[in-house]
Amino acid sequence: MKFVACNIYVTAAASSHAPTLLSLLRSAQDQCREIRAQDDDDDSYNTGTVNALSGNKAMAHVAVIHAYADKPYDRSSFHLAGRPDRVSEVASRLIRKALEEIELDCTTSADGVESRHPFVGLVDHVSVMPINIQDQSGVIGSECEAAANAAREIGRQMAETNLVRVHYYGMACPNKTSLASVRKEKTSFFKSGGAIDKARITEDTYTFTSKGDATVGAPVNFVENFNIRLTPNVKLEQAKTLTQFLRGRNICSRGFGVAGVEALTLPYVRDKLKGSKVFEVACNLTSPKEGSADDVQVQLQKWAERQRQEPPERGAIEEDASKRYYEYFVEDAYRVGTTEEQCISVLLNNKEDNVGVCKNDMIWEKYDNDVYSKFQELLH
């Protein structure tokens, strides 16, 4: 028995796209519901899937765990989990509908605001990640190869549309090339959106097919996302020092960082009418068991303490002495997307084997509606 998670990132979150994005979510939820109904009669796939915390409860075969929209970044995401074949089936259909129904805006900013998340295409990134199920004897199945196969199948169906150019990474790539390397060497990711360095833009920055490029792959571990939004007191150069302070690659050379963390500094405009631009440090936690969100928070506190010792504008801080130094620099630090534990919990807790089909349907209906409502709120 193998289970995976799949994150699908779409370059669209403006209000004008809200009806289409909500339709994509509802369609995926309906498809998951149909698949679960079909699979209920044959639960042999779950044989042996016994979690120490869940007794003999089986896992649902597929579900939409979460959906998220960030309007300033003009970016939405859909988060699935379940059996590799079922996840790739739902993901491929969702992606195809997105490619057919949403137009790609290739400008460097959304709605005239230069805070758009870096992107290479409409369906910018698809990540299929392993979910490891454990019982008292240890890991029952490591899902890396299953995740890689699911990613290749999703990429194959994307390529068949002739609307995108697919680049594989991680376990789905023959050379096991990292996502960062693929983005740097084969796409315009670091020359797009809020990551643009205008002094380095070349003529081939945007060499898109009609719906752009897509990076599709399978990391070795479940990757978590964590963002740190800084206050208006923090300027770009100072924000970049936090990015360096968090990057895992700096542990050996500089003596600071969090294991497995990749970080990028991005502008974030919360209200385009007021022009209230701040900066965010977006983090990928590529090995959450070694470098967790809690570890990032600890490192963030250390960075804030360093700024307290040598503030760039000491007078401004002293005038605002009623606030803690952390609050002077950091507006918010928050997780984006899902965790491995969350995916397992949803697939287990909504699979109520002992309460009957009707009750089970009611549980899923409530969960799906909650996901839909939260996504709807973010889009409007």
Side-chain angles (χ1 to χ4, degrees), residues 290-308:
E290 296 179 5
S292 66
D294 289 341
D295 295 325
V296 172
Q297 285 278 20
V298 170
Q299 196 73 356
L300 176 58
Q301 290 277 3
K302 292 180 179 179
W303 174 83
E305 184 68 15
R306 283 196 174 194
Q307 312 313 303
R308 181 185 71 84

Side-chain angles (χ1 to χ4, degrees), residues 50 71 100 111 138 145 159 232 251 272 303 316 350 356 372:
V50 180
K71 292 180 70 174
E100 292 173 349
D111 298 328
E145 188 56 36
I251 294 175
K272 66 178 183 179
W303 174 83
N350 288 348
Y372 185 93

Side-chain angles (χ1 to χ4, degrees), residues 84-274:
D85 58 336
R86 293 312 201 184
V87 167
S88 64
E89 181 181 346
V90 176
S92 296
R93 180 177 171 185
L94 187 156
I95 291 168
R96 181 180 289 271
K97 288 172 68 69
L99 292 172
E100 292 173 349
E101 298 178 16
I102 302 175
E103 292 302 316
L104 174 62
D105 177 5
C106 294
T107 60
T108 62
S109 61
D111 298 328
V113 179
E114 293 187 1
S115 67
R116 195 175 195 180
H117 192 284
F119 67 100
V120 298
L122 179 66
V123 181
D124 176 78
H125 179 203
V126 181
S127 176
V128 184
M129 304 173 292
I131 294 178
N132 292 316
I133 311 300
Q134 294 184 339
D135 69 0
Q136 294 174 335
S137 64
V139 176
I140 290 178
S142 179
E143 326 301 354
C144 289
E145 188 56 36
N149 290 336
R152 294 187 196 104
E153 175 60 20
I154 293 169
R156 182 188 68 78
Q157 294 198 40
M158 291 178 69
E160 284 184 351
T161 66
N162 295 317
L163 295 172
V164 293
R165 181 169 53 237
V166 175
H167 304 283
Y168 293 103
Y169 73 89
M171 296 295 290
C173 172
N175 299 322
K176 306 295 188 291
T177 308
S178 70
L179 173 61
S181 295
V182 169
R183 281 173 164 171
K184 182 177 181 180
E185 297 168 8
K186 296 187 177 182
T187 77
S188 60
F189 182 84
F190 293 108
K191 299 176 182 177
S192 66
I196 277 186
D197 182 346
K198 294 181 179 179
R200 293 167 53 191
I201 292 180
T202 59
E203 291 182 358
D204 64 347
T205 296
Y206 299 107
T207 54
F208 289 102
T209 51
S210 62
K211 296 297 173 75
D213 289 3
T215 51
V216 180
V220 175
N221 301 308
F222 193 109
V223 176
E224 297 178 13
N225 303 120
F226 193 85
N227 288 355
I228 299 165
R229 187 173 306 152
L230 301 170
T231 69
N233 301 314
V234 181
K235 307 307 179 186
L236 176 59
E237 291 307 313
Q238 190 177 18
K240 288 181 177 179
T241 68
L242 173 58
T243 301
Q244 293 294 340
F245 204 68
L246 294 174
R247 283 177 174 165
R249 70 190 188 196
N250 291 329
I251 294 175
C252 293
S253 61
R254 302 189 183 186
F256 50 70
V258 179
V261 168
E262 300 172 343
L264 184 66
T265 312
L266 297 172
Y268 192 88
V269 180
R270 295 163 296 181
D271 189 334
K272 66 178 183 179
L273 297 178
K274 296 180 180 179

Side-chain angles (χ1 to χ4, degrees), residues 23-48:
S23 175
L24 291 176
L25 173 58
R26 185 60 83 194
S27 177
Q29 290 176 326
D30 290 344
Q31 186 183 5
C32 288
R33 190 177 301 111
E34 292 171 2
I35 290 173
R36 289 193 298 267
Q38 295 170 7
D39 291 349
D40 274 346
D41 293 334
D42 178 15
D43 218 16
S44 59
Y45 189 87
N46 272 297
T47 302

